Amino acid sequence: MILSSFRAHQFRNIGDCELFFTPGVNLLIGENAQGKTNVLEGIYLFARGKSFRGGAERELTKFGTDGFSLGITFRDERREQALTYSFEGGSRRREKNGAPVRLGEMLGVFRAVLFYPEHLQIVKGAPEKRREFLNVAVAGVDPAYLGLYTKYAKILDNRNALLKQASKGLPVDREELVAWSESLALAATDVYLRRRAYLLGFAPRAEEQMSAISDEKETLLLTLEADTDKETPEAVADDYRACFLSHLERECAAGCTLFGPHRDDIGILLSGLDARVYASQGQQRSIVLALKLAEGEYNREKTGDYPVFLLDDVLSELDASRRAYLLGAGGERQLIVTSCEETMCGAAENIIRVSGGNYVSAYR
């Protein structure tokens, strides 16, 4: 998959821009707070359906204006396509190749892998950071996953509402709580099995990437830490039923569900040590980079072509050899990279200079 162009109107600090990209390495270069990340944010919105910075749509609108519009053109193995997204007067509109579409019809059409500095929290942050990474990665290759996880979350909310009621000493219908526990066990089974299947295919690619990034000096091992380790739907569902039904008193006291995929974690061993505890900042960056490159590799295996790699400030704190590995990883892969460092220009096929929401491109 190759992103051909991106255009934005009244988005963040951008008045109007239209940018064109080449295969290989595209470099957005400029000082901090000039608009480099805004481009990646606008592009990634088409892959995930929302801002990776977590802003509401009104917050994405250029100050003093009442809406924004974005558009991309890209080509995959089959054809050239176009997506647009606009927000004006409190209403949003999405189009695919000129025809209106819903969010679910847009997701998965354009695929991208994002590295953002906050992703360093995947290693040493709270477990929810690793779960979020896993959810996004699985959804990138398994279209059914997002709906299944949403279903699980809704059942979880209903069960938690009863548990919260019990924690306050209010009466609760035990049969209703058992029924929600059964529904949650079945939904949890769907989520767990898809996470497990993804990690089984993804983990060896992450190990390969870490070996290459570190020049074979460091090893990486990933595991899924869950309330079950079974492989069949029946056995997994039985494990979750046991968790939900044998700890009801404890959960009623806590007022929430204490087991299930919403509490899963990813174990990360770097050269045999728990990276969540012992990894240095440079090692954290290398691990996350390995995860992101592996996400792209596995995505290609499942879909037939690479996603677009969006790498925000990925080069800082990487030594020369690791930078060379990353920037030399072009080939079939398209990289769109932000940097403040002029020394990075030599590795790029396309350089876009950024200043105050203005963009000047120079192809090599």
Side-chain angles (χ1 to χ4, degrees):
M1 184 167 288
I2 299 296
L3 181 68
S4 305
S5 69
F6 166 77
R7 66 181 184 279
H9 174 67
Q10 296 178 353
F11 179 75
R12 293 291 194 183
N13 74 332
I14 304 170
D16 284 285
C17 79
E18 185 170 17
L19 306 179
F20 298 93
F21 300 99
T22 62
V25 180
N26 297 262
L27 182 67
L28 291 160
I29 189 164
E31 298 298 324
N32 290 325
Q34 299 303 304
K36 303 186 299 296
T37 303
N38 294 343
V39 172
L40 301 193
E41 181 181 23
I43 294 169
Y44 194 63
L45 189 145
F46 290 100
R48 195 175 175 194
K50 61 181 180 180
S51 166
F52 63 76
R53 289 161 155 173
E57 285 155 317
R58 293 188 185 280
E59 299 172 29
L60 309 182
T61 301
K62 184 176 173 66
F63 182 76
T65 66
D66 61 359
F68 66 85
S69 63
L70 301 168
I72 60 171
T73 59
F74 63 96
R75 64 181 185 273
D76 55 24
E77 286 187 322
R78 296 173 296 172
R79 57 175 173 162
E80 185 96 7
Q81 298 202 69
L83 295 173
T84 62
Y85 185 100
S86 62
F87 176 78
E88 189 169 357
S91 299
R92 66 183 65 86
R93 181 179 176 87
R94 304 178 182 91
E95 292 184 353
K96 174 185 172 184
N97 301 324
V101 292
R102 298 186 299 272
L103 174 61
E105 298 172 298
M106 186 180 78
L107 295 179
V109 176
F110 172 75
R111 292 174 290 105
V113 170
L114 172 74
F115 175 97
Y116 185 52
E118 288 188 9
H119 289 161
L120 294 178
Q121 290 297 308
I122 292 172
V123 180
K124 286 204 172 184
E128 65 232 36
K129 297 296 183 180
R130 291 179 285 280
R131 287 194 296 271
E132 181 182 7
F133 161 74
L134 188 56
N135 285 339
V136 171
V138 176
V141 298
D142 185 350
Y145 179 79
L146 186 59
L148 291 171
Y149 190 79
T150 300
K151 177 183 176 182
Y152 172 81
K154 289 179 179 178
I155 296 171
L156 178 66
D157 286 343
N158 283 307
R159 187 174 189 269
N160 280 344
L162 290 176
L163 293 172
K164 185 174 182 180
Q165 187 175 323
S167 72
K168 295 179 179 179
L170 300 174
V172 170
D173 186 331
R174 185 176 178 85
E175 288 188 5
E176 184 181 2
L177 185 54
V178 169
W180 281 119
S181 298
E182 173 65 19
S183 297
L184 192 64
L186 296 176
T189 298
D190 287 334
V191 171
Y192 165 78
L193 287 175
R194 279 170 166 77
R195 284 181 176 176
R196 180 181 183 278
Y198 183 89
L199 207 60
L200 284 174
F202 166 80
R205 280 77 184 167
E207 294 162 19
E208 292 167 4
Q209 292 294 331
M210 190 67 203
S211 178
I213 290 170
S214 67
D215 196 23
E216 301 184 354
K217 295 174 182 175
E218 294 172 318
T219 61
L220 182 66
L221 178 65
L222 305 176
T223 58
L224 180 59
E225 298 178 352
D227 296 311
T228 179
D229 59 359
K230 303 299 192 304
E231 301 179 11
T232 67
E234 296 79 9
V236 172
D238 284 345
D239 278 356
Y240 281 124
R241 286 190 191 97
C243 286
F244 299 147
L245 296 177
S246 62
H247 297 89
L248 279 181
E249 299 305 320
R250 179 181 166 195
E251 290 184 321
C252 284
C256 64
T257 302
L258 301 175
F259 305 89
H262 64 290
R263 299 179 69 89
D264 285 355
D265 202 351
I266 300 176
I268 307 174
L269 290 181
L270 182 66
S271 300
L273 297 176
D274 189 341
R276 296 171 298 187
V277 178
Y278 296 107
S280 68
Q281 191 158 337
Q283 287 173 324
Q284 292 175 58
R285 189 172 291 266
S286 293
I287 291 169
V288 175
L289 181 56
L291 296 179
K292 294 296 180 175
L293 291 176
E295 182 184 345
E297 289 290 338
Y298 196 54
N299 194 299
R300 179 188 63 83
E301 291 180 28
K302 290 295 185 180
T303 64
D305 60 359
Y306 279 110
V308 176
F309 292 81
L310 306 174
L311 308 177
D312 188 40
D313 193 27
V314 70
L315 302 173
S316 62
E317 298 185 42
L318 290 180
D319 59 32
S321 65
R322 298 182 193 219
R323 288 184 178 189
Y325 174 77
L326 173 62
L327 297 177
E332 300 175 66
R333 295 185 280 193
Q334 183 185 43
L335 280 62
I336 302 176
V337 186
T338 70
S339 180
C340 300
E341 301 180 38
E342 288 286 336
T343 55
M344 295 299 102
C345 291
E349 284 82 9
N350 178 29
I351 299 169
I352 300 172
R353 297 192 175 277
V354 184
S355 178
N358 296 303
Y359 304 83
V360 178
S361 181
Y363 291 101
R364 287 188 177 276

